[in-house]
Amino acid sequence: MNGNIHSIETLGTVDGPGIRYVIFTQGCLLRCQFCHNADTWEIGTGKEMTVSEIIDDLESYLPFIQASGGGITVSGGEPLLQVPFLIELFKECKKKGIHTTIDSSGGCFSHSKLFIEQLEELLLYTDLILLDLKHINRKKHIQLTGMANDHILEFANFLSDRNVPIWVRHVLVPSVTDEPEDLKNLGEFIGTLENVRKIEILPYHKLGVYKWEALGHEYPLKDVEPPSEEKVDFAYSMLTAHWQNLKNTNSFRE
């Protein structure tokens, strides 16, 4: 079983708990204006790697990874464009007791029978999903990513219904994703999910601009500066308000 791989980071520290072996897959349907991996967009390209090649490489880092409570994270691009590959990879990881995480925007989620069957099998071997919620407003989501968010919110509910643990991530882009009303609505949506373990605000940055330029693309947010610490704190408080209320209610019930 081969996967189309863009690159691998062997000792990642920001893509799940502990130290992570992070695989960046090739291919994505979204065209996020703030994307710092625009070179992963094209589907069907990248380096073809087998599951055994990845496992052989991963094993050399296992002492550091497992001592930290870490594991493997498959990011992208969009990992769920290659579900059969992930199933085989995570099966092998589970044989070795390796914690498995997927970093996904849910951008390719569909209700087709084949996709759902494959996804449900994959979730049997998945410990955590980092769910990137770009924008709660449908129209603004289209402007930001080139795609509506209906199926992405359905994906979030799909994971909640199956109690798959998730960390919700939201990239805070000044004047784009930081409007108080939008944050409030996103927080309310997160509050309806039963499986949220953590919420992360990812401050917008410009580290990927050079990739856009190298690819010959005009970077659409060139005049936008990273948010202040105060704006990040405010956004976090807005997103966690309803989630904390849900957590407190569930704790009381237990």
Side-chain angles (χ1 to χ4, degrees), residues 15-35:
D15 295 294
I19 295 173
R20 316 294 298 182
Y21 184 93
V22 186
I23 301 171
F24 295 92
T25 56
Q26 186 71 34
C28 189
L29 300 181
L30 272 61
R31 294 294 181 265
C32 300
Q33 293 182 351
F34 53 74
C35 182

Side-chain angles (χ1 to χ4, degrees), residues 104-115:
S104 173
S105 70
C108 65
F109 178 75
S110 81
H111 290 284
S112 74
K113 182 180 179 182
L114 178 60
F115 183 83

